[in-house]
Amino acid sequence: MFIHHVNGIDWLVITAFEELKTLFVEEAGAIPSCFSTTSELDLIGQAKRAYGYLPTLSGVITDTGTFQSKDNEEDLNPQLACLVEGRGRVFIYHGGFVAFVDDEQTFITRMD
């Protein structure tokens, strides 16, 4: 695992192999530049402002960020994750799936 710093947010890149970290960032996709600690909006609000309508997906996010859904053949483990105090957590998975988790809701979507 290693930290990738973007817009004031520390993103945890989840890989056991240091030499694969670039591959993991590229595979998960670019970290959305809309996320910032300087915004007055929470992370879900920031994403909706940047991307407009975000279609919701059904599924469950575990404490470790694993995305479980009956629509997926297997569970998806996050490749990028961040925690922003008071704003929630974001998990990014291969294939453009993104999960937002805060104290009140879990929101799962797909960004293309």
Side-chain angles (χ1 to χ4, degrees):
M1 296 188 280
F2 73 102
I3 301 296
H4 191 64
H5 195 73
V6 178
N7 289 340
I9 296 177
D10 290 328
W11 291 83
L12 179 65
V13 180
I14 303 167
T15 170
F17 303 100
E18 187 70 16
E19 63 272 14
L20 294 179
K21 63 185 181 182
T22 303
L23 174 70
F24 268 66
V25 171
E26 290 173 358
E27 202 173 287
I31 293 174
S33 61
C34 65
F35 297 125
S36 171
T37 54
T38 60
S39 174
E40 71 285 356
L41 298 173
D42 64 13
L43 296 173
I44 296 173
Q46 290 181 45
K48 286 182 177 178
R49 181 173 67 184
Y51 292 96
Y53 173 72
L54 295 174
T56 57
L57 302 170
S58 61
V60 174
I61 302 297
T62 67
D63 289 341
T64 59
T66 300
F67 175 27
Q68 301 172 328
S69 173
K70 62 178 175 17
D71 298 328
N72 296 336
E73 290 182 16
E74 57 185 51
D75 294 347
L76 299 177
N77 292 310
Q79 293 177 308
L80 299 173
C82 79
L83 168 70
V84 179
E85 195 65 39
R87 308 273 182 114
R89 292 178 286 162
V90 174
F91 298 103
I92 299 179
Y93 308 86
H94 178 68
F97 295 101
V98 181
F100 303 90
V101 181
D102 64 22
D103 293 338
E104 298 173 8
Q105 63 180 326
T106 296
F107 183 82
I108 306 162
T109 190
R110 188 169 194 170
M111 293 182 182
D112 294 327

